[in-house]
Amino acid sequence: QVIDGRGWRSGAMVEKRELAQWFLKITAYSDELLAALDGLDKWPEKVRLMQRNWIGRSEGLRFSFALEDAQGHLLDERLTVYTTRHDTIFGASFCAVSADHELAKRLSELNAGLAAFRREVAALGTSEENIEKAEKKGYALGLYARHPFRPEVKLPVYAANFVLMGYGEGAIFGCPAHDQRDLDFARKYGLPVVPVVAPKEADAAAFTVGNEAFIEKEGDQTRLINSDFLNGMSVPQAKEDVARRFTEMGIGERRVNFRLRDWGVSRQRYWGCPIPVVHCGSCGVIPVPKAQLPVTLPEDVTFDKPGNPLEHHPTWKHVDCPHCGKPARRETDTFDTFIDSSWYYARFCSPQADVPVSEAAGRYWLPVDQYIGGVEHAILHLLYSRFYARAMVRTGHENREEPFASLFTQGMVIHETFKTAGGDWVLPADAIQQDGAWHHAATGEPLTVGGVEKMSKSKKNVVDPEAIIAQYGADTARWFMLSDTPPERDIEWTDAGAENAWRFTQRIWRYVNEAIVSTGTADGLALRQLAHRSLAAVTDNLNGLRFNSAIARIYELANGLGTALQNKVSGEAMREAAGLMVLMCAPMMPHLAEACWKALGHTTPVVATAWPKADPALVADDSVTVAIQINGKRRDEMQIAKGMPQTEVEALAMSLPSVQKSLDGKAPRRIIVVQDRIVNIVV
């Protein structure tokens, strides 16, 4: 929603403002949301790691510095910080507070330069990525923090653009030698850089830090240096010693902190579910009674004024207090849409019920057995749903604390991007290639080809599904998307890929119709074995959501069917193999499968036909898995009958989609077959 500090639609500069808003207290569940991740063993580890990092549990120390002014006079207030690296206290060379810290806000009332700096920081927006990438800047507050162990050491206090108010205390002590942000800041403002942690074997007197902070990795053998009574200790020992001393001094306490913040659910916009609350001057904040729900949005809203249209509506927000009857005001904020998407799965159990979730239906259906969604939902949506489930257990609406038993994150469809010289995005359908260069189909102006990115409306790198379906059919589009790459990876949409998938659908239809009229009499055992082994493999692959692997096995069966037709294999075996192939295609090409199934003489539609079972006798292991290499690099594998003739192995390998894609139209110079082991294609 924010790109380069501006709203992605309006282009307006984004700034941070303080607002009275509604929150859900997700932080009350931080510990259990984190601990329960270990039990989600059917979730991708990358998603669990992303949630662990987002919750961000850390064990550290909360302590305070005495403050003095530029003349050395001790102030009444202290500066409280939170840190996980209190072992580095002797390397401290400055303190910094967020631009939103109370200290910075108060001082800015009398300091125009500081006020301007705070406005500059606000213009960075709220994106942590933007804050991290921005040049590290600070504004000296004219105050100094006294080092707790060396009172003669004065640490200048700054407001800094890289300190977040939402984490810890909104204030830090900077140890430049062992934190890259602190080091960048110290170099900019000429502050001391004192290394206090070094490799165990390093010479303490000679150890220095250049432009890269020394950050020890897990397993590194390090020790404290330049740290008075901590010298020679390990990092854990030093942390323990400092924590004990600060506690005894009465200036610090051990603290478990979380990166997770409470969930702000207020949105100042018309589009959303109204927050069902009334503000009364006498009674305060009053929930809308159940009998008056739902609160509906006015349909005569206008958008001619900046800000929230509900706030400007002449009548909607004015209502009587449900408690005392006096004139009151509706809440004009609407809910974050995640409010609805966080529990829809539970509503699906009983969508017509008069209660949010029927208890019996919830017990029967929940948790969701298999959830499939993009990895972009790994943190917010999935974390909010996990929180919502726990909250609903406590309110009696649900009986499962984990909503999704198994999770699969599919990749995105990606495509090239095109831009005009003026910076306007262009649809792929409007881009044509002439003489090796891209031009706008209508205007002829040159286009710049950008990166291959996730399809998005903003960059217009989308392909119209209706056009694809009109040209190739829905089955072809689905087949190509599932066949090109494992479903957890991104897939690049290409016209050539769709064309190849369409040609395969024609092969299926042709082979089925040829099998129907086949009068061959040759032995069909090998074909039946291939068909049943393919079925066993496809069944396993579909259960594991390995659609591309399943499709590769169907390609093998189709090739075998084509060879069997040429060799006049038994018509009965042909029709059996063709029927199994059609059933295997059905989950991915349902329309084609129904037409083929009917052509084969079946009256019960595929959708009502049980999934076939492979004959164990025909699946018996007299096959081997052969690796496919191109110029010595492994590209795929295939299962073949042991001792299969070299010519058949070569033909089968060359027919694989992965091989065709890698060859990109090039003819192989030679094919080396190591029987029952490897096929190496040299190009």
Side-chain angles (χ1 to χ4, degrees):
Q1 295 174 326
V2 179
I3 300 174
D4 296 330
R6 296 180 180 272
W8 74 278
R9 283 185 173 175
S10 66
M13 287 298 299
V14 172
E15 60 180 79
K16 290 185 286 187
R17 290 183 182 176
E18 287 193 358
L19 298 173
Q21 300 192 96
W22 292 93
F23 293 80
L24 294 186
K25 200 167 182 58
I26 191 173
T27 54
Y29 296 78
S30 298
D31 272 320
E32 57 183 283
L33 286 169
L34 183 63
L37 287 171
D38 292 334
L40 296 177
D41 54 0
K42 294 181 181 178
W43 280 40
E45 179 53 34
K46 66 179 179 181
V47 174
R48 293 193 290 173
L49 179 61
M50 290 166 75
Q51 289 209 2
R52 285 190 188 98
N53 291 339
W54 190 260
I55 296 169
R57 185 182 191 276
S58 62
E59 295 183 7
L61 194 69
R62 179 181 183 269
F63 72 97
S64 62
F65 289 93
L67 287 176
E68 60 181 53
D69 61 21
Q71 289 72 43
H73 300 132
L74 190 65
L75 303 184
D76 291 335
E77 66 181 307
R78 297 176 67 88
L79 178 65
T80 301
V81 303
Y82 171 79
T83 181
T84 59
R85 291 305 306 268
H86 36 290
D87 55 299
T88 66
I89 187 64
F90 284 98
S93 63
F94 68 93
C95 287
V97 301
S98 164
D100 292 326
H101 193 279
E102 281 300 318
L103 184 61
K105 287 198 287 188
R106 189 175 73 248
L107 293 175
S108 70
E109 294 173 1
L110 302 173
N111 187 321
L114 178 56
F117 177 76
R118 292 188 64 236
R119 288 194 296 272
E120 179 185 340
V121 173
L124 274 176
T126 59
S127 164
E128 289 188 28
E129 182 180 5
N130 287 347
I131 294 170
E132 196 67 33
K133 289 179 178 179
E135 180 187 1
K136 306 302 177 283
K137 292 182 180 180
Y139 191 95
L141 300 184
L143 302 177
Y144 297 85
R146 290 182 179 177
H147 194 288
F149 296 129
R150 291 176 175 168
E152 73 282 1
V153 175
K154 316 298 183 187
L155 308 176
V157 182
Y158 293 82
N161 65 350
F162 63 90
V163 180
L164 300 175
M165 194 62 219
Y167 180 74
E169 301 294 327
I172 65 163
F173 75 81
C175 180
H178 305 292
D179 183 285
Q180 192 61 45
R181 296 177 311 169
D182 295 351
L183 180 60
D184 295 342
F185 188 84
R187 295 298 188 206
K188 181 177 179 66
Y189 294 103
L191 300 169
V193 178
V194 181
V196 291
V197 179
K200 210 164 191 177
E201 69 281 358
D203 180 357
F207 186 74
T208 58
V209 167
N211 291 323
E212 187 174 332
F214 175 72
I215 302 172
E216 67 272 24
K217 299 179 179 64
E218 188 176 349
D220 285 355
Q221 296 295 311
T222 58
R223 62 188 176 94
L224 272 289
I225 62 173
N226 300 322
S227 296
D228 203 323
F229 52 81
L230 299 177
N231 285 340
M233 290 185 183
S234 66
V235 168
Q237 288 171 336
K239 284 184 177 181
E240 181 62 32
D241 193 291
V242 172
R244 178 183 58 78
R245 289 174 186 261
F246 277 4
T247 303
E248 291 174 354
M249 293 162 67
I251 63 170
E253 59 180 348
R254 301 173 198 269
R255 176 69 63 89
V256 173
N257 218 333
F258 291 91
R259 182 178 179 273
L260 182 65
R261 302 293 91 196
D262 280 328
W263 176 9
V265 295
S266 286
R267 297 295 182 268
Q268 295 75 43
R269 63 187 178 203
Y270 172 75
W271 305 109
C273 177
I275 298 176
V277 161
V278 170
H279 299 271
C280 175
S282 300
C283 306
V285 177
I286 304 296
V288 174
K290 186 175 182 180
Q292 296 179 20
L293 294 176
V295 177
T296 57
L297 293 167
E299 296 186 10
D300 57 346
V301 69
T302 61
F303 296 88
D304 54 346
K305 297 178 182 177
N308 184 355
L310 295 177
E311 190 66 41
H312 305 314
H313 195 279
T315 60
W316 182 82
K317 66 181 178 180
H318 300 297
V319 64
D320 291 338
C321 173
H323 189 265
C324 70
K326 294 179 181 178
R329 181 181 63 85
R330 286 194 192 281
E331 174 61 67
T332 55
D333 283 359
T334 53
F335 273 128
D336 176 7
T337 53
F338 277 118
I339 285 283
D340 303 305
S341 63
S342 294
W343 74 283
Y344 71 92
Y345 67 90
R347 181 61 179 171
F348 283 173
C349 299
S350 47
Q352 305 302 324
D354 293 332
V355 293
V357 188
S358 157
E359 186 178 347
R363 277 199 309 270
Y364 178 80
W365 286 109
L366 296 176
V368 175
D369 298 284
Q370 178 68 64
Y371 186 101
I372 300 175
V375 75
E376 71 273 14
H377 298 304
I379 297 173
L380 296 183
H381 166 57
L382 292 173
L383 186 61
Y384 289 156
S385 291
R386 296 182 62 226
F387 158 64
Y388 233 91
R390 284 164 169 76
M392 290 175 71
V393 166
R394 285 152 178 76
T395 59
H397 292 100
E398 197 173 320
N399 63 334
R400 305 276 186 164
E401 293 199 329
E402 285 298 339
F404 312 124
S406 184
L407 172 68
F408 185 87
T409 55
Q410 88 279 8
M412 308 298 292
V413 182
I414 59 179
H415 200 287
E416 286 177 319
T417 54
F418 299 93
K419 251 186 180 181
T420 65
D424 295 325
W425 299 103
V426 176
L427 288 164
D430 294 331
I432 58 172
Q433 194 171 23
Q434 295 175 339
D435 301 324
W438 286 93
H439 300 269
H440 195 290
T443 66
E445 65 179 306
L447 299 179
T448 300
V449 182
V452 178
E453 301 183 31
K454 178 181 76 172
M455 285 189 182
S456 67
K457 289 179 288 186
S458 61
K459 294 184 179 178
K460 294 190 176 181
N461 61 332
V462 294
V463 178
D464 183 0
E466 290 186 2
I468 297 166
I469 292 169
Q471 183 174 1
Y472 297 116
D475 281 354
T476 294
R478 188 164 34 237
W479 185 263
F480 166 57
M481 291 176 65
L482 294 174
S483 67
D484 190 64
T485 190
E488 67 271 19
R489 298 182 191 168
D490 291 344
I491 171 178
E492 181 180 357
W493 181 270
T494 65
D495 291 339
E499 180 74 27
N500 290 335
W502 182 79
R503 281 199 293 268
F504 184 72
T505 64
Q506 310 310 302
R507 285 178 62 198
I508 294 289
W509 179 249
R510 186 171 71 252
Y511 288 168
V512 166
N513 282 279
E514 289 180 8
I516 292 169
V517 298
S518 171
T519 57
T521 57
D523 183 18
L525 177 60
L527 178 61
R528 296 190 67 222
Q529 287 176 325
L530 175 61
H532 282 264
R533 286 171 186 155
S534 297
L535 173 59
V538 168
T539 302
D540 181 61
N541 286 326
L542 291 181
N543 285 334
L545 304 180
R546 298 183 296 274
F547 302 112
N548 64 311
S549 297
I551 287 173
R553 295 307 298 263
I554 295 172
Y555 270 109
E556 290 179 32
L557 176 56
N559 291 332
L561 202 58
T563 302
L565 281 166
Q566 294 175 0
N567 295 336
K568 308 293 184 185
V569 164
S570 158
E572 185 178 350
M574 288 290 303
R575 285 182 282 278
E576 179 188 11
L580 289 175
M581 180 175 65
V582 167
L583 292 174
M584 285 184 257
C585 287
M588 295 159 282
M589 291 197 290
H591 304 94
L592 176 65
E594 292 292 358
C596 291
W597 194 242
K598 187 175 181 180
L600 284 166
H602 298 280
T603 55
T604 302
V606 171
V607 72
T609 301
W611 184 258
K613 293 183 178 179
D615 186 334
L618 295 172
V619 178
D621 190 17
D622 59 351
S623 63
V624 291
T625 300
V626 173
I628 311 296
Q629 297 179 342
I630 297 179
N631 290 340
K633 291 185 178 180
R634 186 186 181 100
R635 296 296 184 188
D636 206 340
E637 64 180 34
M638 64 180 183
Q639 201 166 33
I640 62 172
K642 288 181 181 177
M644 179 181 280
Q646 180 170 332
T647 54
E648 293 183 25
V649 174
E650 291 178 5
L652 202 54
M654 287 296 296
S655 70
L656 294 178
S658 56
V659 171
Q660 292 295 322
K661 184 178 179 180
S662 297
L663 291 177
D664 195 23
K666 298 174 186 173
R669 288 196 288 119
R670 56 181 175 146
I671 302 175
I672 303 167
V673 177
V674 180
Q675 191 168 33
D676 296 342
R677 290 182 59 196
I678 295 173
V679 178
N680 188 21
I681 301 168
V682 182
V683 293

